[in-house]
Amino acid sequence: MYRQLAGDAVDDRTLSLKIAQACNELGKTRKLANQTTEAQAAHRDALTCLEALGGGASAEARFELARTYFLMGQRVGFQPGAKRAGRKPLRNGPPDRDRRPPRHKRPAMGDRPLRDDPQREVRNKNLRRAIELLADLREDDPDNPDYRHLLALCHREIVPEFGRASELAVDEAIKILEGLARDFPDVSDYRFDLCETYAAVETMPPGPPEQMAESMARRLGKALDIATQLVAQYPNM
């Protein structure tokens, strides 16, 4: 049904965007069910709808396009970020309804492959495309929290060759998430993603054992502090 609608609706900008958003949500559901092939097909359908809009696409459509590339770049078994990512970007910060406990359980970052991922280059290409689109969007609205959040998740998800490039990507994700957590302290999603990123010590580049142990301990300590705060704030989650 989604594919038929995707083919029929490319001349209607509003409907094409809604279908793309629906396809991406379907893809996320498929991915959670480990239906990888079906998930990628759904995201490709979303991409078809959005690319048909051309250069005159709205900011909302371009954001959904960035989100589509991000979802196509995710590794299997990991669902980071942005519950609001399919909604219209928020100009005045998150509304009260988003001041809620952290959402859903999901696999830990350490459960996913890094260097051994056979699709790493394809995934990274999609993530870099998402980063480019978000950079363009931020030129017009640099403080938009949805743009910043998705950008952080793209940097966190990308897997370059191990070394300084990998460290810089995660450092950039941490920097953005720290800013969001500071600017919107009542939005627990930002703190949760920051905690998870701190805890992703497998993204750290190799080095002298003592130096690595010290860096890991520092990041894990920060993750523990945030996790303790979240558990105290939301003890039933």
Side-chain angles (χ1 to χ4, degrees), residues 63 81-85 87-95 98 134 137-138 141-153 176-177 179-185 187 189-190 193:
F63 177 70
K83 181 173 67 175
R84 294 192 315 278
R87 304 182 190 170
K88 185 176 180 179
L90 303 171
R91 297 282 172 172
N92 299 315
D98 284 313
L134 289 166
L137 286 167
R138 291 193 68 195
D141 193 0
D143 295 326
N144 185 296
D146 289 319
Y147 299 168
R148 294 161 65 189
H149 192 192
L150 186 58
L151 182 60
L153 299 178
I176 296 171
L177 289 168
L180 285 167
R182 180 178 60 252
D183 294 344
F184 304 102
V187 181
D189 283 356
Y190 299 151
D193 284 330

Side-chain angles (χ1 to χ4, degrees), residues 16-28:
S16 291
L17 173 59
K18 297 303 181 185
I19 292 172
Q21 292 172 341
C23 287
N24 278 330
E25 292 306 311
L26 175 63
K28 289 169 62 178

Side-chain angles (χ1 to χ4, degrees), residues 98-102 184-189 191-192 225-237:
D98 284 313
R99 297 178 181 180
R100 58 184 66 173
F184 304 102
D186 293 325
V187 181
S188 56
D189 283 356
R191 287 182 289 154
F192 182 82
D225 288 343
I226 296 175
T228 301
Q229 294 170 9
L230 289 171
V231 169
Q233 192 170 359
Y234 307 108
N236 295 323
M237 291 298 295

Side-chain angles (χ1 to χ4, degrees), residues 118-173:
Q119 297 297 317
R120 178 169 58 86
E121 287 305 319
V122 175
R123 298 185 193 283
N124 284 352
K125 182 179 180 180
N126 287 324
L127 292 166
R128 291 190 182 100
R129 180 61 180 138
I131 290 171
E132 291 173 359
L133 289 165
L134 289 166
D136 290 341
L137 286 167
R138 291 193 68 195
E139 288 185 2
D140 296 328
D141 193 0
D143 295 326
N144 185 296
D146 289 319
Y147 299 168
R148 294 161 65 189
H149 192 192
L150 186 58
L151 182 60
L153 299 178
C154 288
H155 281 296
R156 186 177 75 175
E157 186 72 13
I158 203 166
V159 183
E161 291 291 343
F162 274 68
R164 184 59 179 161
S166 178
E167 184 179 16
L168 289 174
V170 176
D171 285 349
E172 184 64 20

